[in-house]
Amino acid sequence: MECAVRSRHPTVNCPVAVSRIMRPDDANIAGNVHGGTILKMIEEAGAIISTRHCNSQNGERSVAVLARVERTDFLTPMLIGEVAHVSAEITYTSKHSVEVQVTVMGENILNGVKRVTNRATLWYVPLSADNVHSVVKVPPLQYSSPEQEEEGRKRYEAQKLNRSESKQRNATIIFPTINVEPCTVGYSQSSLIHLVGPSDCTLHNFLQGGVTMKLMDEVAGIVAARHCKTNIVTASVDAINFHQKIEKGSVINVSGRMIFTSNKSMEIEVVVDVDHVLKSPQESAHSVTAFFTYVSLGKDGTALPIPTLKIETEDEKKRFEEGRERYLQAKARRTGEVTKKCQ
Ligand code: COA
């Protein structure tokens, strides 16, 4: 991966730009770049810029870990053969956290055409390089105007509020189930087990947030494909909070189930459970939960109707209704954004 750093001045917000050509092994089964690969690249750029910022002054050395990703929309597909340009910029710092905004562009290097494929906002927290359990203070960012700082503070307060809800949601458990009847929740429910090895980890020997998101997207994609039997793509991921570090040598169980289907999209819940194999079973824990929205695409790239999810239990019904609520809220937000842009 080529990494161009524009400035090394410690207190000035110097963007990070990373570029990489998209190869066939970055593709999903539809032939486009895997949503998980893009999430991983976004997270890597965020980890570089936030760790650099946190070490920009004399003081305790630290490594920034991913604490949260805001809702991320996949605007257009990235194609194999294109160059992905990932640029990251720090937009706010609180006492102990760093907000990073990342833009991903796909470039067709045969004709020079570029377009934005993703925008994401991530929050990192620096942990001491000597003691992974100790959160380190973040050097304050220099803002270009008081308004910029105020806008950042509002985003910080909003995500803090949202986090307490997600802590409750993190109590979800996806129990193994099999159902041979197509279009039921049990029919498409899927999981994968992964041993967290050295190449998955940060300098602290804990699982990288980007690797976790890639595995989560993989499972969500399997659920979507099992349900639809067509080519499917990630449309968006709801905000994800990473409340727990996952150590090298842990075994993670990544499970996904269909929650809601609308006309042309579907919502899949993905849960990551951690089994610290070298510790007692009581130390197994629930780590991350996220909602992925997928769309099924026909050969001409247009969205296909989604088979309606067959609901069989009261719990499934409750989750379906909650999914519908999230779907309606996201739709209203998108419509609001489009209206604002047109004004
Ligand atoms: N999103 C954004 N910021 C968060 C956060 C989240 N989910 N959780 C905590 N923070 C911020 C807090 O706001 C605080 O900053 P502030 O003082 O400026 O407001 C800072 O983190 C420290 O909070 P604190 O309560 O002291 O720490 P904590 O015990 O909540 O630990 C983490 C925070 C991020 C270190 C901890 O949750 C963790 O280790 N998470 C896993 C990180 C990781 O391994 N990521 C990859 C997972 S695969």
Side-chain angles (χ1 to χ4, degrees):
M1 209 182 247
E2 166 209 324
C3 177
V5 183
R6 291 190 211 147
S7 159
R8 286 191 140 256
H9 193 286
T11 53
V12 175
N13 182 11
C14 45
V16 158
V18 180
S19 302
R20 177 156 87 68
I21 193 148
M22 296 290 100
R23 294 181 302 252
D25 59 342
D26 293 312
N28 59 20
I29 47 176
N32 298 328
V33 175
H34 201 294
T37 301
I38 296 175
L39 290 170
K40 190 165 176 269
M41 289 191 301
I42 288 174
E43 202 273 318
E44 274 168 10
I48 294 171
I49 196 167
S50 51
T51 299
R52 182 178 290 147
H53 177 83
C54 292
N55 289 283
S56 61
Q57 291 183 354
N58 290 336
E60 201 171 348
R61 300 296 92 190
S62 62
V63 179
V65 292
L66 180 65
R68 177 179 170 91
V69 183
E70 299 296 352
R71 183 189 163 85
T72 307
D73 290 302
F74 290 75
L75 308 170
T76 51
M78 174 85 72
L79 307 176
I80 300 305
E82 286 189 322
V83 172
H85 297 283
V86 185
S87 56
E89 193 177 2
I90 295 178
T91 41
Y92 184 75
T93 52
S94 71
K95 200 167 166 192
H96 300 109
S97 68
V98 180
E99 183 196 51
V100 179
Q101 293 194 5
V102 181
T103 303
V104 184
M105 297 189 77
E107 178 192 0
N108 178 330
I109 43 174
L110 303 184
N111 60 19
V113 174
K114 280 187 186 174
R115 70 205 186 290
V116 174
T117 61
N118 301 74
R119 281 204 177 88
T121 302
L122 304 94
W123 293 86
Y124 287 83
V125 174
L127 303 181
S128 163
D130 297 327
N131 174 10
V132 74
H133 302 293
S134 161
V135 175
V136 173
K137 266 196 185 167
V138 174
L141 187 68
Q142 286 180 355
Y143 299 93
S144 56
S145 66
E147 292 76 27
Q148 192 196 20
E149 182 170 8
E150 180 53 21
E151 285 302 312
R153 198 190 55 75
K154 282 188 193 154
R155 293 192 298 275
Y156 164 73
E157 295 297 344
Q159 58 95 348
K160 254 185 129 167
L161 202 71
N162 179 278
R163 264 190 261 151
S164 53
E165 293 167 20
S166 104
K167 271 205 170 155
Q168 287 171 5
R169 205 174 75 192
N170 265 16
T172 314
I173 296 175
I174 299 186
F175 290 106
T177 168
I178 300 173
N179 193 331
V180 289
E181 193 185 338
C183 296
T184 58
V185 175
Y187 182 81
S188 57
Q189 186 171 314
S190 308
S191 50
L192 66 79
I193 293 175
H194 180 81
L195 172 67
V196 178
S199 62
D200 300 323
C201 291
T202 61
L203 298 174
H204 270 124
N205 278 336
F206 285 94
L207 180 60
Q208 272 178 48
V211 174
T212 314
M213 289 194 286
K214 186 164 189 279
L215 291 169
M216 293 172 90
D217 185 59
E218 245 162 54
V219 169
I222 295 169
V223 174
R226 278 197 169 138
H227 184 80
C228 297
K229 314 281 183 219
T230 54
N231 285 334
I232 42 81
V233 289
T234 319
S236 66
V237 187
D238 264 19
I240 312 178
N241 286 286
F242 296 87
H243 294 301
Q244 211 195 86
K245 289 179 272 299
I246 303 174
E247 272 181 282
K248 182 175 77 180
S250 307
V251 169
I252 55 172
N253 192 339
V254 189
S255 309
R257 66 179 164 204
M258 191 66 71
I259 295 287
F260 168 75
T261 51
S262 67
N263 243 355
K264 290 190 177 171
S265 72
M266 57 203 137
E267 187 193 62
I268 296 133
E269 180 181 35
V270 180
V271 170
V272 181
D273 292 304
V274 191
D275 184 352
H276 305 281
V277 278
L278 301 180
K279 296 182 180 168
S280 65
Q282 286 85 344
E283 290 183 65
S284 294
H286 194 74
S287 176
V288 193
T289 300
F291 293 103
F292 287 74
T293 298
Y294 268 74
V295 172
S296 157
L297 292 183
K299 288 206 170 70
D300 59 353
T302 55
L304 297 173
I306 306 287
T308 306
L309 186 63
K310 282 185 194 155
I311 296 298
E312 297 181 305
T313 68
E314 280 305 308
D315 277 353
E316 288 174 6
K317 190 172 167 205
K318 182 169 168 277
R319 286 195 292 268
F320 189 92
E321 290 310 321
E322 288 166 355
R324 189 202 305 276
E325 196 47 43
R326 282 187 292 272
Y327 161 79
L328 291 173
Q329 279 174 12
K331 206 161 184 176
R333 214 171 24 239
R334 279 202 306 277
T335 318
E337 278 163 15
V338 172
T339 318
K340 247 193 237 164
K341 272 184 204 154
C342 296
Q343 280 167 357

